[in-house]
Amino acid sequence: MRVVLVPKNRLMLIAGLVWCAAGAMVCLIGLPLEFRLAPSHLVLFPLAVGIFLAFYLFVFSRLVRKHTGRIRERAEDRLPFWHFFNASSWAVMAVMMGGGMALRFSHLMPDWMIAFFYSGLGVALFLCGVRFLGIFARKDVLALAPERVSSDA
């Protein structure tokens, strides 16, 4: 079997597209519920903003920096296309997706909880996907890693 290798910068494009798609899918679940329930549950909008800020600032933005740095520091110019995530991130993604589907299909969480949580989470995912696309557009991962620069001098 032949492994598809892509330039490091294209990993940012793949990551951006995957994160934007995941964010859009989560938004498609949460936002319709949010707008349907919001007139009678005004607290849902501030709760969604709180979830967005928590995930965007403290989880996903850090992951964007971590994955960009990890890819930038690799010595190879081309990597397998799935290397936009490391193994632990693939595992976390699988657990989050599986757990989210299990909670929704089991009806253990009421719609109002899914509405604000998925709305905030989906927008945070989508915007971090946009950040990956910005990194791709600026070709930021093509810069030499600091230790490679000092060893070449």
Side-chain angles (χ1 to χ4, degrees):
M1 183 162 95
R2 186 168 153 87
V3 175
V4 176
L5 300 175
V6 298
K8 290 193 309 187
N9 197 51
R10 287 230 183 102
L11 290 178
M12 299 295 102
L13 174 63
I14 295 168
L17 294 174
V18 167
W19 281 54
C20 283
M25 290 187 331
V26 173
C27 282
L28 285 174
I29 296 167
L31 289 174
L33 284 172
E34 180 92 18
F35 289 115
R36 189 183 81 211
L37 297 171
S40 60
H41 297 83
L42 293 177
V43 72
L44 293 180
F45 285 121
L47 289 172
V49 170
I51 292 295
F52 163 76
L53 290 172
F55 275 92
Y56 184 82
L57 296 174
F58 301 115
V59 180
F60 298 143
S61 290
R62 291 178 180 182
L63 285 175
V64 171
R65 285 191 302 273
K66 174 184 161 190
H67 290 303
T68 301
R70 177 181 53 80
I71 292 166
R72 181 182 288 127
E73 291 172 3
R74 294 289 298 260
E76 306 96 319
D77 290 331
R78 299 171 82 74
L79 296 165
F81 70 90
W82 62 84
H83 276 225
F84 67 89
F85 269 179
N86 57 11
S88 63
S89 292
W90 281 108
V92 167
M93 183 182 70
V95 168
M96 285 181 69
M97 288 175 60
M101 286 188 281
L103 279 173
R104 278 196 339 272
F105 295 141
S106 70
H107 301 289
L108 291 174
M109 289 178 65
D111 282 351
W112 64 268
M113 288 181 89
I114 291 171
F116 80 82
F117 189 81
Y118 273 53
S119 295
L121 181 72
V123 173
L125 270 169
F126 187 86
L127 289 181
C128 282
V130 170
R131 287 184 61 185
F132 273 121
L133 294 175
I135 293 165
F136 165 75
R138 291 187 312 271
K139 297 177 176 41
D140 282 352
V141 296
L142 298 179
L144 289 176
E147 60 273 358
R148 288 174 60 191
V149 172
S150 63
S151 66
D152 291 343

